[in-house]
Amino acid sequence: MRKTNCILISLFFGLMLPGFRMGAQSTVEDILYAVERGNPSLRHAAALLDLSKAGNAAEYRLDDPQTEFNYLWGQNSQVGNRHDLRISQNFDLAALSGTRLRQVAAKDEMARLEYESKRQEILLEAQLTCMDVIRCNAQIEVLGKNLEAASALESATTRKMEIGSSSQIEVNRARLNLSNARSRLAKVRTERERCLDYLRTLTGDESISLDSRIYPDYRLPEDFDVWYRELAQQSPMARYVAKREEVMRGQQKMDRLSAYPSLSVGYMAEVGMAEKYRGVTLGVSVPLWRNNAKLRASAAGVAEAAELKDAFGKQFYGSLRRSYSQAVSLKEIAESCQEVLESSDNRQMLLQAEKQGEVSVLDYVLETEMYCDAVQEYLNAECDFRKALCTLLSVTL
């Protein structure tokens, strides 16, 4: 009995540690591509982007030309009738100076950045879920080996009870250990399926599979401030806030230009019974009533956009700094767990204990559960670090 237990323990520990280090080819990037291609929320956001651009293009157009036709009856037949035709087009200074065109381009860019921000948010959600799936894959590998060893122990203990070299208590302990191993594995498999189902939802119900146990090679920046200056400003939201201030300043400029008179140019024809007149018409529209209110509103809009940009910049930096610190801390925890795990291989000590008659089913169960818990703790810590790293680097998605 002691010899059989020793072999099982050696088999278990020999398979455990290598198991969670092996992995198949990663397909995380393929899943992110599938999400970007088929996510329903992203398709809706793209439709909203097209709608915004169409609305902005309408603002760029000049006002519609005005056509006026008059038919006037004379007092008598000697005076006769008269008809007038007038066609005119209004031109404002914002259109003539190109300010309106630049404002439309800035609004288009702001709408695009809003879409990019939504895209980044959804891709990060999918990426974090992929990290959970990879963790589950590694846990299933470990727990599968644990189940195999527990099953072998239960079979060996049952056979030994049949020949009188083991007791019912030992068999019950082995069966309870087998039941616990099955339960742990089933829970992780259920969690994995839940994560995969959610990924399928994010991809628009596209069939996907992620069997990798190796995390993508995302690197933690060595120096946060250098990384922030070089890459963090790629964030669509940071650029959106800056572009919003630009749009508000453009609106203020347009409102200022609207304080100047607008010009109307046209053609007019006046045809009477005996006389005909044709010529060019010029008109001027002088804004008097609403312009001051518009200027006050646009000035308030510029001030609000500047305050938002300043507040967002500070909040954005602080948030990334905290994410970086969290990732560094979690990396240290994961590495510490890995070091302890690699230095706590008790196979030789258990072998010596077996030779001295100190290893029983209970010893085996306690040792394997302790080691299995340590492996799970390491895998959870590694996953937490990878998810924190994904959150930090999401500004570059």
Side-chain angles (χ1 to χ4, degrees), residues 163-206:
I163 62 176
S165 59
S166 181
S167 66
Q168 184 65 47
I169 294 177
E170 295 289 278
V171 172
N172 291 342
R173 286 172 178 168
R175 289 176 178 173
L176 181 60
N177 178 60
L178 178 60
S179 176
N180 290 338
R182 285 173 177 164
S183 178
R184 284 183 174 184
L185 183 58
K187 287 180 180 179
V188 176
R189 283 175 172 168
T190 299
E191 183 180 0
R192 179 180 184 273
E193 286 305 312
R194 180 188 62 81
C195 292
L196 287 175
D197 286 342
Y198 185 57
L199 283 175
R200 294 184 189 102
T201 300
L202 291 178
T203 59
D205 292 330
E206 182 175 336

Side-chain angles (χ1 to χ4, degrees), residues 215-342:
Y215 291 101
D217 189 22
Y218 302 144
R219 302 296 180 87
L220 182 66
E222 295 182 1
D223 187 289
F224 173 78
D225 290 322
V226 172
W227 172 81
Y228 181 83
R229 289 193 299 269
E230 292 179 352
L231 295 177
Q233 295 308 314
Q234 294 181 14
S235 167
M237 184 53 68
R239 288 183 290 160
Y240 173 85
V241 172
K243 183 61 66 173
R244 184 173 180 272
E245 182 187 22
E246 179 184 331
V247 168
M248 296 306 296
R249 293 190 183 279
Q251 185 61 48
Q252 185 182 42
K253 184 176 182 180
M254 289 185 61
D255 290 340
R256 287 173 177 171
L257 291 176
S258 68
Y260 294 92
S262 60
L263 179 66
S264 176
V265 179
Y267 166 83
M268 180 176 178
E270 181 179 308
V271 180
M273 184 175 180
E275 299 175 331
K276 297 180 180 180
Y277 298 94
R278 294 181 178 85
V280 177
T281 64
L282 296 176
V284 176
S285 175
V286 181
L288 294 176
W289 315 120
R290 295 189 301 172
N291 193 64
N292 288 336
K294 289 172 62 178
L295 287 176
R296 287 195 298 269
S298 61
V302 170
E304 183 271 338
E307 288 291 338
L308 177 63
K309 180 182 176 181
D310 182 65
F312 177 83
K314 295 177 180 178
Q315 181 182 7
F316 186 59
Y317 177 86
S319 176
L320 288 180
R321 185 74 194 187
R322 289 190 297 272
S323 295
Y324 179 79
S325 299
Q326 182 185 24
V328 170
S329 177
L330 289 172
K331 181 182 180 183
E332 293 174 352
I333 293 173
E335 290 176 347
S336 176
C337 289
Q338 185 178 17
E339 290 176 2
V340 171
L341 200 59
E342 292 176 345

Side-chain angles (χ1 to χ4, degrees), residues 122-192:
I122 292 176
L123 289 183
L124 174 60
E125 197 171 355
Q127 199 175 42
L128 295 178
T129 307
C130 286
M131 299 302 105
D132 283 329
V133 174
I134 292 174
R135 171 182 56 81
C136 288
N137 291 339
Q139 288 178 328
I140 289 172
E141 176 74 9
V142 172
L143 295 175
K145 300 300 183 181
N146 182 32
L147 179 60
E148 291 177 8
S151 178
L153 174 67
E154 191 272 339
S155 298
T157 307
T158 300
R159 286 195 301 270
K160 292 194 174 298
M161 187 189 70
E162 292 173 354
I163 62 176
S165 59
S166 181
S167 66
Q168 184 65 47
I169 294 177
E170 295 289 278
V171 172
N172 291 342
R173 286 172 178 168
R175 289 176 178 173
L176 181 60
N177 178 60
L178 178 60
S179 176
N180 290 338
R182 285 173 177 164
S183 178
R184 284 183 174 184
L185 183 58
K187 287 180 180 179
V188 176
R189 283 175 172 168
T190 299
E191 183 180 0
R192 179 180 184 273

Side-chain angles (χ1 to χ4, degrees), residues 384-397:
D384 290 341
F385 161 63
R386 298 294 178 169
K387 292 171 73 173
L389 187 57
C390 290
T391 302
L392 176 68
L393 299 180
S394 64
V395 295
T396 59
L397 277 175

Side-chain angles (χ1 to χ4, degrees), residues 341-373:
L341 200 59
E342 292 176 345
S343 62
S344 60
D345 188 348
N346 295 327
R347 285 178 294 178
Q348 293 301 321
M349 289 184 289
L350 286 172
L351 180 60
Q352 184 65 29
E354 188 274 333
K355 291 180 179 179
Q356 297 174 3
E358 298 175 357
V359 174
S360 64
V361 172
L362 180 59
D363 294 328
Y364 170 83
V365 170
L366 292 176
E367 289 289 341
T368 54
E369 283 191 353
M370 185 183 303
Y371 194 79
C372 187
D373 289 342

Side-chain angles (χ1 to χ4, degrees), residues 4-47:
T4 302
N5 286 346
C6 178
I7 294 174
L8 290 172
I9 292 171
S10 298
L11 174 65
F12 177 80
F13 283 106
L15 293 174
M16 285 286 280
L17 190 55
F20 67 81
R21 289 178 138 188
M22 297 173 60
Q25 183 180 1
S26 172
T27 58
V28 173
E29 296 303 322
D30 294 337
I31 291 177
L32 294 183
Y33 176 74
V35 170
E36 188 171 5
R37 184 181 63 245
N39 184 264
S41 296
L42 272 183
R43 290 203 300 267
H44 178 251

